Amino acid sequence: MAGRRRRPGRLPPPGLSPADLTGGTSSPAPSAPHGDGGADDPTRAGQQLILDAIPFPVAVLRRCDEVVLYVNTPLARIANQDAASMMGRRSTVKYAKRVDYEDVQAALEQAGRIDEREVRLRNADGRIFWVTLSAVLIPYHGEDAFLVGFTDITARKQAEDVQRELIDAVPVPLVLARTSDAKILQINRRASELFGIASDLAVGRYATDFYVVEEERRRLGVLLRQDGQVDEFEVQLADSMKRPFWALLSARLFDHKGEQASLTAVNVINERKRIEQELAVERAMLKATLENMDQAMLITDRDLRVIGWNRRCVDLLGLPAEFLESGPTKDEIAGYLADQGDFDTLPESEIGLFRGDQRALLESRPIYERRRPNGTVVEARSNRLPGGGFVCSYTDITKRKAAEDELRASKEAAELAYSSLQQAKNSLIQAEKMAALGSLVAGVAHEINTPIGTALTAASHLGERTAEFRAQFQGGKLKKSEAERYLETAVETSAIMVATIGRAAELIQSFKQVAVDQSTDIRRRFNLSAYIAEILLSLKPRLKQAQHAVVVDCPHDLEIDSYPGALSQVLTNFMMNSLLHGFSEGQIGKITISAQLRDSATVVIRYADTGRGIPEKNLARIFEPFFTTRRGTGGTGLGLHIVYNIVTQSLGGTIDVMSEVGQGAAFILAIPRTAPGQVELWIDER
C-alpha cells in the first residue's frame, strides 16, 4: 500500500503509511510516562492487545506533538520493521493541500472524530498519494491521542482520473449520470460545448433538465433499464440556453464507484433532418440515374405495383412504355409476358412459378437467370425495400454466358490434355525404369561373360587332358610322371573354374537383389554399406568403360529400415546422370558416395562427382518433370524428377543440390533411418 501519514503540527497524522511511520530523521519524542502509564501497566497491555487485534493498520499519535506512541502488528508487518523502532518518532507525511489539513482539523476539533475522509498526502520524497483516513480522539495513558486508521486509495483515484481523461478525450459528446437521481457526474469537453455549459457547472445538475419532451426521456429510461443499453434513440434535446436540437442517443448502464450509472453518447442529427426534407429533390435525381443505367430497373411498392422504371425495360424486357406508365403490378407484368410467349421456352415445371404469384417468386428466387425467346439471357435480381416494396434489376448477360460456355469447354479440354499428359508422364517414368533395368541386365550379362568364358576354357582344357589321360591309362602306357602332370592340371583348372564360377555367382546374386529391389517397393532392414557395394557391382560394366574412380565412405555397421529398391534407383539415376551429363567425353573423373548419421533417426547420404557442374540458372529447375538440356540426344528430363519423388515420398526425406560450373555437382539426401509406411514381410534368401 502507498498510503502515508500526517504533517507535524496540531493535527494527528491520519493517513499513516508503513514506509513513513519509520519517522526518518525526525527528532525523538519524550519518553512515555511511567507509573500508571508504564509499559507494565495492565491497562496499557490491554489497549495494546486490542490494537493488535484490529485487522488493518492503525497507530496512536500524541495530540500535542504528533509523536507515534504505538503501532499495531499489521502496520509493523506491512512496514517490515520492528514495532518498537517505529515508535517515539514524528510523522514525515504532509497534507498535499492546506485546505484538507484545515478541514480535517476542524472536523476533529468539532466532533472529536472523522470517518472515511478522502485526502491527498505528500510523503518525505515528495510523492503525492490518496488515502481514506479515519481518526478518533482517545485518552491514551493519561494523554490526549489520536487513534488513526487509513486505506490507500491511490490506485482507485488514478483509475478514476484515467476514466475521466478518457471520457474527456472522446471526440463525441458524452454524459455520465447517476441513474438513481439523474445527477450528472461528468461531461466531456465536446458535451460541454454542445450544451453550452462548463464541465464543473454541469456536474451536480440533473440530466433531465436538457430533455425537451418528458415522455421521450421516460421511454428512453424504460428501454435502458430493460436492456441495459440503448442504441440510436432519436430525441429532441435543448442546451443551457433552451435552444432545441435533434440527437441520437446511445447509452450503456455500468457500475461506477459502487453505484449504477449511465454513459450516454450524443450524436446531433440536425443535418439529417435537413437532408430528409431534401429527399424529394433527390427522388427526381434518382429517376435520372435510373435512365442512365445499363440494367432494366423496376421499383415497386409494398403491393408490388410499379412506382419507378427506366427505358431499358422497354428494350430488354419488351414491356411497352405506355403499359409501364399505367403502374401495373408484378402479377400483371407476368401475365403480359406470358401472353407474348416469353415463358414458352421454359421447362414445364418452371412456367407455373413465373406465371404465378410474383411475391413468392421474388422471395424464393431473389436471383435467377432466364433465356427469352429471342435468345437473350437475362439475370434478374430483387432487393426488398424497408417499406415492403422491391427493387428489381434485369441485366443482359448473353455475352457473359457465351464466354462462360467457352471457358467451360476450354477447361474440359485442358483437363483432358492434362490427363493425357499425366498418362504420358507415367508411361515415360515406367519406360525409364525398365530402361534402367534393361541397361542393368545388359551390363551384368556382359560382366558375367568373362568369368563364364574363363570357366568354359578351363573346363575344355581339363576335358582334353582327361581324354589323353584315359587313353594312356587304357593303353597301358601311363607313366607316373604323366599321372602327376594330369593331377596338377586338374587341380589348377578346378581352382580356376571355382574362382570364375564363384565370381559369376556373386554377380548374379547382386543382380538378382538389385533387380528385385528396383522392380518392387518392398521395405526391409539392410546394411547400407553392403547394399551400396551391390549397386556399384551391378553398375561396374558402365563404370569400367568410363574409367571413373568411385569412392564410398559409409560406416560398415550402419543399418537402416527402408526401401532398398527406391534407394537403388536413386543412386543408379545419379550414376547415369553423371555418366551422361556430368562428365565430358574422354574425361576421367571421380564419384564419391558418403553416408553418415546426422542424429539417431536421420541418415545423410551425399553423392558428388567432379564433372562439368550445373549452371546456376538450371539449379532451381532440375527436379521439374521433363526438364533436360539434352532433349535432342535422348534425354527425357524425368531422371531427377523421379529421384525427387522417390526421396520425398517413398523414402520420406529431403533432397538438395549444390553445384558450380566446372566444379562438379553434389546431391545431399536426408532420409529417416526408419522409413515411413508399413513394413512388409521380406526374407533375405542370402
Side-chain angles (χ1 to χ4, degrees):
M1 295 178 66
R4 314 269 160 165
R5 72 177 178 203
R6 301 297 146 253
R7 60 164 56 220
R10 292 174 294 168
L11 185 67
L16 295 175
S17 163
D20 293 318
L21 282 172
T22 59
T25 58
S26 302
S27 60
S31 60
H34 295 284
D36 292 340
D40 297 329
D41 190 334
T43 302
R44 170 172 289 187
Q47 287 179 322
Q48 293 175 358
L49 183 63
I50 293 173
L51 291 172
D52 281 337
I54 297 176
F56 53 85
V58 296
V60 178
L61 292 91
R62 190 158 47 214
R63 182 180 186 185
C64 63
D65 56 8
E66 301 179 359
V67 169
V68 179
L69 300 179
Y70 191 78
V71 296
N72 69 347
T73 301
L75 183 55
R77 187 182 301 115
I78 293 175
N80 197 24
Q81 296 186 31
D82 181 66
S85 67
M86 299 172 64
M87 294 186 289
R89 296 178 176 274
R90 300 177 66 182
S91 172
T92 60
V93 177
K94 316 296 181 182
Y95 282 89
K97 290 184 178 181
R98 178 72 182 180
V99 65
D100 288 338
Y101 172 84
E102 294 173 349
D103 289 346
V104 171
Q105 180 182 6
L108 287 171
E109 291 295 337
Q110 180 179 355
R113 66 180 298 131
I114 187 170
D115 296 314
E116 298 293 326
R117 176 69 63 91
E118 294 185 1
V119 296
R120 289 197 303 169
L121 303 178
R122 180 185 292 109
N123 64 11
D125 60 8
R127 188 177 68 86
I128 295 176
F129 55 96
W130 282 90
V131 298
T132 58
L133 67 89
S134 299
V136 63
L137 181 63
I138 63 171
Y140 188 76
H141 311 309
E143 297 183 275
D144 287 341
F146 287 103
L147 176 63
V148 182
F150 70 91
T151 302
D152 186 345
I153 61 169
T154 303
R156 193 195 78 192
K157 298 298 286 187
Q158 289 175 345
E160 292 174 2
D161 291 341
V162 169
Q163 176 181 291
R164 186 178 299 105
E165 292 172 359
L166 177 61
I167 291 176
D168 196 58
V170 173
V172 174
L174 292 178
V175 178
L176 178 63
R178 191 163 49 214
T179 56
S180 61
D181 56 7
K183 276 193 175 182
I184 296 175
L185 303 176
Q186 181 186 350
I187 66 172
N188 66 356
R189 181 180 58 83
R190 293 299 300 274
S192 176
E193 295 172 355
L194 176 62
F195 290 100
I197 186 173
S199 298
D200 55 344
L201 296 178
V203 174
R205 290 191 57 173
Y206 294 100
T208 54
D209 295 344
F210 299 97
Y211 285 85
V212 174
V213 181
E214 175 64 17
E215 182 57 32
E216 292 179 348
R217 186 195 68 78
R218 292 181 184 276
R219 190 156 52 91
L220 173 62
V222 170
L223 294 175
L224 190 57
R225 287 189 296 272
Q226 176 180 313
D227 300 328
Q229 66 180 51
V230 173
D231 292 315
E232 296 190 347
F233 184 85
E234 187 174 304
V235 66
Q236 195 172 23
L237 303 176
D239 62 15
S240 60
M241 302 298 292
K242 302 301 180 182
R243 291 173 296 197
F245 60 89
W246 285 95
L248 290 177
L249 303 186
S250 296
R252 298 290 186 275
L253 291 181
F254 70 103
D255 183 83
H256 178 72
K257 298 183 183 180
E259 296 182 299
Q260 189 181 65
S262 64
L263 183 63
T264 304
V266 184
N267 180 23
V268 179
I269 59 170
N270 286 336
E271 183 65 15
R272 194 185 79 176
K273 286 293 185 178
R274 183 187 62 82
I275 292 174
E276 289 176 354
Q277 296 172 358
E278 298 175 353
L279 283 179
V281 177
E282 294 186 359
R283 289 192 185 98
M285 295 178 62
L286 175 61
K287 179 64 176 177
T289 302
L290 291 176
E291 291 299 337
N292 286 283
M293 295 181 67
D294 290 334
Q295 293 87 2
M297 302 292 297
L298 287 175
I299 303 175
T300 74
D301 59 14
R302 66 177 60 193
D303 297 324
L304 300 187
R305 186 170 297 279
V306 174
I307 59 174
W309 57 279
N310 64 358
R311 293 285 173 179
R312 189 77 172 103
C313 294
V314 177
D315 304 329
L316 182 60
L317 304 180
L319 298 173
E322 56 274 13
F323 176 65
L324 294 172
E325 286 287 0
S326 65
T329 63
K330 284 286 290 179
D331 289 335
E332 292 171 345
I333 292 176
Y336 177 86
L337 293 175
D339 293 341
Q340 301 298 316
D342 223 56
F343 304 141
D344 292 350
T345 58
L346 295 177
E348 194 67 32
S349 59
E350 296 281 319
I351 294 178
L353 179 63
F354 281 93
R355 295 192 62 170
D357 183 6
Q358 292 301 293
R359 187 179 298 277
L361 175 63
L362 292 173
E363 293 178 349
S364 63
R365 291 194 181 182
I367 302 175
Y368 65 85
E369 296 175 3
R370 181 172 68 83
R371 185 179 295 274
R372 298 193 64 216
N374 60 6
T376 303
V377 181
V378 177
E379 179 188 69
R381 292 175 176 264
S382 58
N383 294 284
R384 184 186 294 272
L385 291 172
F390 286 88
V391 175
C392 305
S393 65
Y394 304 88
T395 306
D396 185 351
I397 59 170
T398 307
K399 292 182 179 179
R400 191 185 80 187
K401 297 299 290 185
E404 289 176 357
D405 292 341
E406 293 178 3
L407 181 61
R408 189 178 300 106
S410 300
K411 178 175 177 291
E412 292 174 355
E415 289 175 348
L416 180 61
Y418 179 75
S419 177
S420 300
L421 182 62
Q422 286 296 106
Q423 293 177 3
K425 174 185 171 182
N426 293 335
S427 299
L428 285 173
I429 290 175
Q430 189 64 29
E432 183 144 329
K433 286 184 179 180
M434 298 308 297
L437 190 60
S439 176
L440 176 64
V441 171
V444 170
H446 180 273
E447 189 69 14
I448 290 176
N449 185 58
T450 299
I452 293 297
T454 302
L456 180 61
T457 301
S460 299
H461 179 65
L462 180 61
E464 292 174 357
R465 293 291 296 135
T466 300
E468 293 175 1
F469 179 82
R470 182 177 182 179
Q472 291 176 351
F473 175 77
Q474 291 177 348
K477 300 178 180 180
L478 182 64
K479 298 179 180 180
K480 181 180 180 181
S481 59
E482 290 293 335
E484 290 176 349
R485 190 162 45 250
Y486 172 75
L487 290 175
E488 290 176 0
T489 300
V491 170
E492 181 180 352
T493 53
S494 296
I496 292 173
M497 287 189 293
V498 168
T500 54
I501 293 173
R503 173 61 177 163
E506 182 182 354
L507 286 171
I508 291 171
Q509 182 62 35
S510 175
F511 165 71
K512 175 185 176 183
Q513 183 63 67
V514 174
V516 169
D517 285 340
Q518 286 196 3
S519 60
T520 62
D521 291 326
I522 297 176
R523 171 181 160 184
R524 63 184 175 87
R525 188 175 184 85
F526 58 93
N527 183 283
L528 182 59
S529 177
Y531 194 70
I532 292 175
E534 291 179 356
I535 296 171
L536 293 178
L537 185 61
S538 67
L539 295 173
K540 186 176 180 181
R542 296 296 301 268
L543 294 172
K544 183 187 296 184
Q545 294 175 6
Q547 299 182 351
H548 299 305
V550 180
V551 177
V552 178
D553 180 14
C554 177
H556 295 292
D557 59 348
L558 178 55
E559 292 190 348
I560 63 175
D561 184 357
S562 191
Y563 297 91
L567 183 60
S568 171
Q569 190 167 358
V570 168
L571 293 179
T572 300
N573 280 15
F574 282 158
M575 288 282 191
M576 300 308 296
N577 202 58
S578 295
L579 296 177
L580 294 175
H581 305 287
F583 296 111
S584 303
E585 187 175 352
Q587 177 186 0
I588 298 177
K590 179 180 178 181
I591 295 173
T592 303
I593 303 174
S594 62
Q596 61 181 3
L597 283 174
R598 185 170 68 188
D599 51 52
S600 61
T602 307
V603 178
V604 176
I605 301 175
R606 188 178 188 275
Y607 175 93
D609 64 34
T610 58
R612 69 186 71 183
I614 304 171
E616 183 178 359
K617 65 179 181 179
N618 294 338
L619 282 176
R621 302 187 59 198
I622 59 172
F623 296 122
E624 295 179 4
F626 307 111
F627 176 75
T628 179
T629 58
R630 303 190 63 181
R631 181 75 64 190
T633 56
T636 64
L638 288 173
L640 290 179
H641 177 64
I642 294 173
V643 166
Y644 179 84
N645 286 339
I646 291 174
V647 172
T648 58
Q649 297 176 19
S650 299
L651 300 180
T654 61
I655 182 171
D656 196 9
V657 59
M658 298 186 300
S659 179
E660 291 184 13
V661 175
Q663 301 297 318
F667 294 88
I668 298 93
L669 283 63
I671 62 174
R673 196 173 183 182
T674 301
Q678 297 180 350
V679 179
E680 296 184 34
L681 181 62
W682 172 261
I683 299 176
D684 193 340
E685 296 178 352
R686 294 176 295 174

